[in-house]
Amino acid sequence: VQLQASGGGLVQAGGSLTLTCAASGRTFSTYVMAWFRQAPGKEREFVARISRSGGSTYYTDSVKGRFTISRDNAKNTVYLQMNSLKPEDTAVYYCAADRDGLLTRDQSGYDYWGQGTLVTVSS
C-alpha cells in the first residue's frame, strides 16, 4: 500500500488542523493505521492508532483529549483531527499502516509509511 499524507501547515497555538492520509489499493480496511511524529532534533514518536474497523483508538498521553484519529474505509483514508494545538506539537507527522493488526505503538510494527507532512505551531 502507498500512503500520502497531507494537511500540514502553520497554525497559531490553540488552533486546529486536520491531517489526511490517503492510501492506495483495495485492502485498506485490513490495515491498522497510525500517526507518528518527529519533532526537530528528536526521535519519531507514536501519536495515535486506529483499528481496522475504526472501533478502537489509542493515543499517547500528550495528545489525549485534543487529537482524534478516524478512518473512512470506503475512501481509503485516515484522518487526524488536531485541536488546541501547542508549540510542542510542531513536528513532521507520518501516517503508517500495519498489515498484521498488532495494535502496537512501536514503529517497528508498521510496514508502510507516508512521506510526512509538516505541522508548525507558533506561540
Side-chain angles (χ1 to χ4, degrees), residues 9-30:
L10 175 63
V11 63
Q12 288 188 331
S16 299
L17 278 176
T18 299
L19 305 183
T20 299
C21 177
S24 64
R26 294 177 289 179
T27 59
F28 177 73
S29 63
T30 67

Side-chain angles (χ1 to χ4, degrees), residues 52-118:
R52 290 161 168 162
S53 67
S56 173
T57 57
Y58 180 80
Y59 301 89
T60 195
D61 286 346
S62 62
V63 308
K64 282 181 182 177
R66 300 189 299 121
F67 290 11
T68 301
I69 188 171
S70 61
R71 68 189 296 163
D72 185 338
N73 286 341
K75 295 183 178 180
N76 282 12
T77 304
V78 62
Y79 306 95
L80 186 68
Q81 172 69 43
M82 305 185 294
N83 299 325
S84 302
L85 282 161
K86 304 175 181 180
E88 51 263 44
D89 294 318
T90 294
V92 177
Y93 284 73
Y94 299 89
C95 57
D98 162 29
R99 63 174 177 243
D100 297 321
L102 298 176
L103 292 176
T104 179
R105 58 185 296 156
D106 186 342
Q107 58 186 306
S108 67
Y110 290 83
D111 306 289
Y112 304 100
W113 293 82
Q115 84 290 358
T117 186
L118 177 62

